[in-house]
Amino acid sequence: MPDAVALYRTIRLIRRFEERAIELVRSGDIVGGVHPYLGQEAIATGVCAALRPDDVITSTHRGHGHVLAKGADPARMMAELAGRVTGLNRGRGGSMHAADFSLGILGANAIVGAAGAIACGAAWAGMLAGSDRVAVTFFGDGAVNQGVLLEAMNLAALRRLPVLFVCENNGYATTMPTAGAVAGTITGRAAAFGIPASTVDGMDVSVVLDAAREAVERARAGAGPTMLECLTYRFDAHHTFEHRVRLRYRDDADVAAGRSRDPMQIQGARLDPDERTRIDVAVETVLDEAVRFALASDHPDPAGALDHLYASGLRARPGVA
Amino acid sequence: MPILSYLKALGRALGDELAADERVCVFGEDIRVGVANVTNGLLKRFGPDRVVDMPISEQAFTSFATGAALAGRRPVLEFQIPSLLFLVFEQIANQAHKFPLMTGGQAAVPVTYLVPSSGSRTGWAGQHSDHPYSLFAHVGVKTVVPATPTDAYGLFRAAIQDDDPVVVFAPAAAMGVREDVDYATLVPVPLGVARVHRPGTDVTVVAVGHLVQTALSVAEELADEISVEVFDPRTLYPFDWTGLAASLDRTGRLVVIDDSNRSCGIGAEVLATAAEQMRLVAPPKRVTRPDGAVLPFALALDQALQPSRDQLLTAVRAVAKGG
């Protein structure tokens, strides 16, 4: 299991990856923008630290942290955001669809709440194949009012699937405060299906890791799904378009309060300062190389825009005859 | 020779695929007892880990199948009602279909979606009588509509063996078709290959699904005056354009009969492609449901909105004289 240093390193990697990605959005090297994971790093880090390489995850539109924490190469991830052929998805997915099936990353998913049922199906298939691997589905507070996610929880409980439902409650579904959208409670939804659920501090990676370990052990032992509601705060915009179009849905005091507890500082304070500095420098080197690699990589050939559309190799008719 | 009914052909195909490939599994509602008359006996034969009865949660179990497929299974889903495809359009068109491209070729989603009673079943009214195969052809999901028991067997097996999502529409109005066949001769039918049920030299009638029988009946009635070729695409996406071009090289005249709503139905695509790229000596026609059709309940109203034998007869005569 990872030690405090490794946990900090992953948090720092995600934090700085996101900040570098935002710079590349501003420079025009990443088109379409990104949904920054800033402030939520302890959740992906803690949960993925409880997993084995053969465990699988599904992620969200705000998914960079999950993908990196599960072990994706930051350089190929950055290349994917920049739409290059060397990207994880060969430049076909971008920020919201990053996937690396060799690492059990079944893809970020751009439809809120859509991936839960996919994770359940993968968990079921693994269970029937005799594996004790676990599936984790990450989602936000906005997803808990999507019918298909609630249906998936029912299926997971019914079939005692080895699934961990991780809700990252960052306070806002785009601009809608959680209180304005969620009747009852988030954990109450799990409880309704008989799924054990707890609410934990999503800003402290050690708390997240402990909770995730318990849930993963439970799933591996055949005891079924668990839900973790991780309380966190989205430090930055819903999406980088907010950097250009200012939306007034949370005031400065709210943001200051939300940012007062920083998962990177919380974990960083547990390290020897010199060691922390060494990690920060090493992470910067990794990200310098990631950005260099991404921007030096080739753009895809437009002639191949329909490549991979069909796994069977079927070629679609072109748009002009 | 034994009689093969359409539903029995589907059940037999499913059983044969379950037996041939242990990755194949079936999800659906009430499939343990075979409410749709396709999965009868499969639970006893293959057990509850491969024949999985699901709660009424179509959206979840459709994406559940996607997840299982990503993890190496080849699920077959049964939907009792064609309109349920509207409910799971996101899960099929926006999730399953998009995974291979979005992941840059890392993923395959070999899932088959079976609707064993599509289109009007007479008397089932607005929300149980749709025939939305053109929607799936439009988004590029492989779509098959078998007209006969032999093709139902063969296309269903080929769909399950295919590495991409495939929707199989089994028209309710084709359920009465029976064939004398030697079961040993039943084989998979490749997707994307049309079948000429009756050769002709004057007019090509492209007929979809149950309307193949309607077209054959019209061709027979007109035999003394017009030589009609009955062309059954069998797969609507990918469509056998080469086969259609060969047929129009013979006839140069085209009528399509298609149980879709008129706008953007597959009939519109067939006419457009033929007009752009194929030999036509007269303006083509199509016989379809009206624009935006919602089938009313009363029998006469339900039938009034479906493409009819009389409409086809009139269209064939008009096209034969045109140009």
Side-chain angles (χ1 to χ4, degrees):
Chain A
M1 282 293 177
D3 57 16
V5 172
L7 293 171
Y8 173 75
R9 186 188 177 284
T10 301
I11 291 173
R12 177 81 187 181
L13 176 72
I14 298 169
R15 171 68 53 94
R16 290 294 298 140
F17 182 96
E18 293 297 66
E19 290 171 346
R20 299 295 285 263
I22 290 168
E23 288 171 19
L24 295 182
V25 170
R26 289 187 173 139
S27 67
D29 291 298
I30 294 175
V31 297
V34 299
H35 299 83
Y37 194 65
L38 297 169
Q40 303 179 208
E41 299 92 340
I43 302 169
T45 302
V47 170
C48 290
L51 299 180
R52 290 193 319 227
D54 65 327
D55 292 327
V56 300
I57 66 166
T58 65
S59 174
T60 71
H61 57 286
R62 197 178 308 288
H64 305 172
H66 313 131
V67 175
L68 291 169
K70 191 64 169 65
D73 175 2
R76 294 190 61 214
M77 179 69 179
M78 197 66 89
E80 185 58 34
L81 302 194
R84 307 303 174 104
V85 289
T86 54
L88 293 174
N89 306 27
R90 299 185 165 96
R92 268 69 176 178
S95 168
M96 290 195 284
H97 304 299
D100 188 336
F101 277 59
S102 71
L103 297 169
I105 303 164
L106 303 185
N109 203 302
I111 301 298
V112 169
I118 294 172
C120 287
W124 175 83
M127 189 171 84
L128 261 66
S131 161
D132 66 348
R133 75 165 187 249
V134 166
V136 175
T137 183
F138 293 96
F139 54 91
D141 48 285
V144 304
N145 302 315
Q146 285 280 42
V148 67
L149 181 63
L150 300 172
E151 291 178 17
M153 286 183 194
N154 181 58
L155 282 181
L158 203 60
R159 299 201 161 266
R160 293 170 78 85
L161 299 177
V163 177
L164 182 48
F165 292 91
V166 178
C167 177
E168 304 187 52
N169 182 351
N170 66 15
Y172 298 90
T174 310
T175 67
M176 172 66 87
T178 308
V182 180
T185 64
I186 291 173
T187 54
R189 285 159 170 68
F193 299 112
I195 297 176
S198 55
T199 302
V200 302
D201 178 7
M203 294 306 210
D204 186 336
V205 70
S206 67
V207 171
V208 175
L209 175 58
D210 286 348
R213 271 183 185 149
E214 193 182 324
V216 167
E217 279 168 20
R218 202 173 159 269
R220 274 202 220 295
T226 302
M227 181 206 268
L228 290 183
E229 179 192 13
C230 301
L231 299 178
T232 183
Y233 192 77
R234 200 185 72 212
F235 281 15
D236 202 275
H238 163 66
H239 181 272
T240 46
F241 76 75
E242 277 185 58
H243 296 161
R244 289 180 284 110
V245 182
R246 194 164 157 76
L247 303 175
R248 300 190 181 279
Y249 59 92
R250 53 184 193 180
D251 62 31
D252 293 346
D254 288 337
V255 176
R259 295 183 64 131
S260 64
R261 295 186 70 241
D262 180 335
M264 187 175 73
Q265 302 304 348
I266 290 171
Q267 186 63 13
R270 292 170 181 153
L271 268 59
D272 171 80
D274 291 341
E275 183 152 42
R276 184 174 170 180
T277 303
R278 277 197 299 277
I279 293 168
D280 291 353
V281 170
V283 163
E284 226 50 40
T285 304
V286 166
L287 291 174
D288 286 345
E289 170 56 18
V291 171
R292 189 206 62 75
F293 173 81
L295 299 185
S297 295
D298 289 339
H299 292 275
D301 179 356
L306 286 174
D307 288 356
H308 315 296
L309 180 55
Y310 296 99
S312 60
L314 173 69
R315 301 300 299 188
R317 281 195 299 169
V320 288
Chain B
M1 278 194 289
I3 302 282
L4 183 66
S5 75
Y6 197 115
L7 281 170
K8 198 170 174 182
L10 291 175
R12 192 174 181 86
L14 188 50
D16 287 354
E17 278 301 314
L18 281 160
D21 186 343
E22 64 181 17
R23 296 171 299 175
V24 176
C25 52
V26 193
F27 304 148
E29 290 153 358
D30 311 301
I31 58 173
R32 72 191 190 290
V33 293
V35 160
N37 222 4
V38 171
T39 55
N40 316 42
L42 295 180
L43 176 63
K44 194 174 171 193
R45 237 176 113 192
F46 298 101
D49 287 347
R50 300 197 55 205
V51 179
V52 185
D53 222 323
M54 286 287 183
I56 298 180
S57 299
E58 291 89 7
Q59 295 184 325
F61 74 67
T62 301
S63 272
F64 187 97
T66 299
L70 293 175
R73 303 298 297 262
R74 304 183 81 88
V76 178
L77 274 62
E78 182 192 274
F79 295 100
Q80 288 178 14
I81 304 163
S83 314
L84 293 174
L85 292 174
F86 298 138
L87 194 63
V88 299
F89 203 60
E90 133 73 13
Q91 284 73 27
I92 299 175
N94 200 34
Q95 300 287 341
H97 169 59
K98 290 184 177 174
F99 260 79
L101 184 137
M102 292 196 307
T103 62
Q106 295 180 68
V109 185
V111 180
T112 304
Y113 313 92
L114 173 69
V115 187
S117 218
S118 58
S120 173
R121 287 181 271 183
T122 60
W124 289 73
Q127 292 178 331
H128 275 41
S129 305
D130 293 289
H131 221 161
Y133 46 74
S134 295
L135 274 184
F136 291 90
H138 177 73
V139 295
V141 173
K142 293 176 180 175
T143 305
V144 303
V145 192
T148 69
T150 305
D151 282 344
Y153 176 90
L155 290 164
F156 190 23
R157 283 204 69 176
I160 298 169
Q161 293 172 9
D162 198 90
D163 284 339
D164 289 311
V166 183
V167 187
V168 178
F169 288 87
M175 293 302 159
V177 182
R178 285 173 162 67
E179 286 174 304
D180 285 337
V181 291
D182 177 356
Y183 287 179
T185 65
L186 291 171
V187 288
V189 171
L191 304 185
V193 180
R195 172 176 174 183
V196 175
H197 285 265
R198 178 185 173 116
T201 53
D202 294 333
V203 177
T204 297
V205 171
V206 173
V208 177
H210 61 289
L211 297 169
V212 167
Q213 299 302 324
T214 307
L216 287 169
S217 162
V218 166
E220 184 60 29
E221 181 172 335
L222 293 175
D224 290 341
E225 52 179 302
I226 302 166
S227 171
V228 173
E229 175 147 309
V230 177
F231 182 95
D232 170 9
R234 301 197 286 196
T235 305
L236 300 184
Y237 190 91
F239 198 95
D240 185 355
W241 298 117
T242 307
L244 180 63
S247 177
L248 291 177
D249 279 344
R250 291 189 286 275
T251 64
R253 295 172 195 269
L254 173 64
V255 176
V256 184
I257 183 162
D258 163 27
D259 195 27
S260 300
N261 293 351
R262 198 162 181 85
S263 288
C264 307
I266 193 72
E269 183 54 39
V270 172
L271 258 58
T273 299
E276 276 188 319
Q277 296 176 276
M278 298 177 192
R279 175 177 169 263
L280 287 178
V281 299
K285 282 192 178 292
R286 63 195 147 127
V287 178
T288 66
R289 291 187 183 192
D291 274 351
V294 175
L295 291 200
F297 166 67
L299 188 55
L301 303 180
D302 174 309
Q303 290 173 346
L305 299 191
Q306 293 182 63
S308 72
R309 189 178 185 284
D310 285 349
Q311 289 168 337
L312 179 62
L313 198 77
T314 304
V316 171
R317 281 195 169 123
V319 168
K321 287 186 192 129

